[in-house]
Amino acid sequence: MMISRETDYAVRCVLHLARTPGRIIMISEIARACEVPRSFLAKILQRLARAGVVRSHRGAGGGFQLVRDAGELSLRDVVEIMQGPVALNTCAVAKDRCSRSGECIVHPVWVRASADVGKLLGTYTFQRLLREEKKTDKRSKEVETGALSGASQD
């Protein structure tokens, strides 16, 4: 399974919105922060809005805000909104699309691997990702501080 560029951008966008819960953020700010072309981002945000993940606000001061709780919204949710069921092979989600799935020795492997990937993505909520990000930021600052103080001791 490969995540599409559109899905990657959607994950970046949701993560950015999750950093400031309740805040309405202009599309230009989201595009800049997430390094996503504005025109492409507009289509992604429309899809996320139809799925009830974000809300669009029109007019002056308009933009987008995350409406789903970051602790209940997972990577799997966003992947499935953007590109459908998590699957390594079509037969893993639609047996009828492959005439060999009933006799194919590999079919159960595709099904299990797809389920395992989906389950793993489901464990990563955006709240969890933000916690991990804070830990990483804290470690980076400690390393920088340690490196600076270590450099001055030489």
Side-chain angles (χ1 to χ4, degrees), residues 13-127:
C13 174
V14 171
L15 193 56
H16 182 70
L17 292 171
R19 287 185 186 108
T20 55
R23 184 170 164 234
I24 300 168
I25 304 176
M26 292 174 43
I27 192 168
S28 57
E29 181 183 334
I30 299 167
R32 188 174 42 257
C34 298
E35 299 178 11
V36 177
R38 191 177 188 274
S39 59
F40 199 16
L41 182 60
K43 293 173 187 169
I44 292 167
L45 285 164
Q46 286 174 357
R47 190 181 239 168
L48 292 170
R50 280 194 304 272
V53 174
V54 301
R55 180 177 298 132
S56 171
H57 296 270
R58 298 180 184 267
F64 291 85
Q65 76 180 127
L66 187 66
V67 291
R68 291 265 309 266
D69 184 295
E72 296 176 11
L73 182 64
S74 71
L75 283 175
R76 180 181 181 152
D77 295 328
V78 174
V79 167
E80 289 183 341
I81 288 165
M82 299 309 294
Q83 60 186 65
V86 174
L88 299 180
N89 195 328
T90 304
C91 69
V93 291
K95 249 179 140 173
D96 60 328
R97 295 177 104 183
C98 178
S99 61
R100 299 181 36 88
S101 60
E103 63 200 42
C104 178
I105 195 67
V106 183
H107 176 75
V109 177
W110 296 141
V111 171
R112 181 173 177 191
S114 297
D116 289 349
V117 170
K119 185 176 179 181
L120 176 66
L121 292 175
T123 66
Y124 282 89
T125 66
F126 283 86
Q127 184 176 46

Side-chain angles (χ1 to χ4, degrees), residues 71 125-136:
T125 66
F126 283 86
Q127 184 176 46
R128 178 180 177 184
L129 293 169
L130 290 173
R131 279 195 309 265
E132 292 297 322
E133 183 178 61
K134 286 179 185 176
K135 287 179 191 175
T136 301

